[in-house]
Amino acid sequence: MSSSLAAVVLGLASAASWGAGDFTGGIASKRAPVVGVLVLGQAAGVTLIFAAALLLHESVPAPATLAWSVAAGAAGAVGLAALYRALAVGRMAVVAPVSAVLSASIPVVWGALAEGMPSGSKLAGFVLALAGIWLIARAGPPGGGTEGLGLALVAGCGFGAYLVLMDRGAQGGTFWPLAAARGTSFALAVVVAGARRRPWAPPRHAVPLVLLSGVLDAGGNAFFLLATQAGRLDVAAVLASMYPASTVALAAGLLRERITRPQSAGIVAVLGAIALIAG
């Protein structure tokens, strides 16, 4: 398999894993406090990644390299906190597409500056993918207020910065940099949980789903890093950012949620984008 094709396959695997993690995490958040889902899910993810680094005998990168991963973990935690707050005070139809498209756009701009402009077909695929992500992530009728828009911008910047910083951190390996990033996010989640001074532990019946969401999130991160190592950052980031399609597909198949016409158009756009990016 060529490196460019491997990057496409791994990027799509990241999107599938992240989307499934969001799906299971969303269901778990209906059964348990959100902070508890974050803490326990991050604990499961960082444990799995740490074990993989030990089992594969991966060399520990230099502290300067790990610092990029720590910064990535902090950026991701800020993005996640802003996203949850934005969803609490605003409309998903505004918050979700803004944060998703911005998180994909930042690595595209950075990739163009650091690695040069992509080919014409890939650039067209990026544009089509961003349009598809926007349509898929929208929920509910258009219009309405813009509450939460500022937080959605913060969330998108946090996630976009995470993707760029993790690409830098992964120059020294895969699983140790990822463990540093996830460990940072976990530590920040624990601090937030402690500051709340309210019960946050998930009930026993919700624990398996919470753990699964953490494992899937960790898998999405690992696939993304492997995709960046196989090809360009912008290709990996745009493909991985297609995770809303996986979430919507799971919700339609398992929960019988209806896929709207804009979402259907978005899925078609995403499929076309994949063909252009892979070409």
Side-chain angles (χ1 to χ4, degrees):
M1 183 184 297
S2 67
S3 59
S4 58
L5 180 56
V8 171
V9 172
L10 290 166
L12 292 174
S14 176
S17 191
W18 267 338
D22 282 355
F23 175 76
T24 54
I27 296 177
S29 296
K30 295 180 180 179
R31 305 175 183 178
V34 171
V35 173
V37 173
L38 288 174
V39 171
L40 190 57
Q42 292 288 339
V46 75
T47 300
L48 180 65
I49 293 166
F50 185 79
L54 291 176
L55 289 172
L56 295 174
H57 302 290
E58 184 176 274
S59 299
V60 179
T65 302
L66 286 178
W68 290 106
S69 301
V70 171
V78 169
L80 193 60
L83 178 64
Y84 278 121
R85 182 58 183 164
L87 291 172
V89 302
R91 297 179 63 248
M92 186 176 292
V94 174
V95 171
V98 168
S99 60
V101 170
L102 187 56
S103 68
S105 300
I106 289 175
V108 169
V109 174
W110 179 263
L113 293 174
E115 304 176 58
M117 290 294 292
S119 64
S121 62
K122 283 184 171 57
L123 195 58
F126 291 165
V127 174
L128 191 58
L130 294 177
I133 293 168
W134 176 279
L135 291 170
I136 293 169
R138 286 191 63 86
T146 58
E147 293 83 3
L149 179 59
L151 287 168
L153 293 173
V154 173
C157 289
F159 294 143
Y162 171 82
L163 297 178
V164 172
L165 291 168
M166 277 309 302
D167 178 58
R168 292 295 300 271
Q171 302 301 318
T174 301
F175 293 101
W176 282 122
L178 197 52
R182 295 290 87 185
T184 302
S185 298
F186 170 67
L188 292 174
V190 170
V191 170
V192 171
R196 287 170 59 87
R197 297 181 179 178
R198 284 183 286 177
W200 55 265
R204 184 176 300 178
H205 66 83
V207 168
L209 201 58
V210 174
L211 294 176
L212 178 59
S213 69
V215 169
L216 289 168
D217 178 63
N221 282 276
F223 284 129
F224 168 73
L225 286 191
L226 292 171
T228 64
Q229 292 168 354
R232 290 175 57 106
L233 167 63
D234 46 15
V235 170
V238 169
L239 291 173
S241 296
M242 293 178 180
Y243 63 86
S246 176
T247 305
V248 168
L250 286 170
L254 299 179
L255 302 182
R256 297 293 185 265
E257 290 188 4
R258 186 175 66 87
I259 297 178
T260 65
R261 288 184 179 179
Q263 287 175 326
S264 297
I267 291 172
V268 172
V270 162
L271 293 175
I274 293 171
L276 288 170
I277 294 171

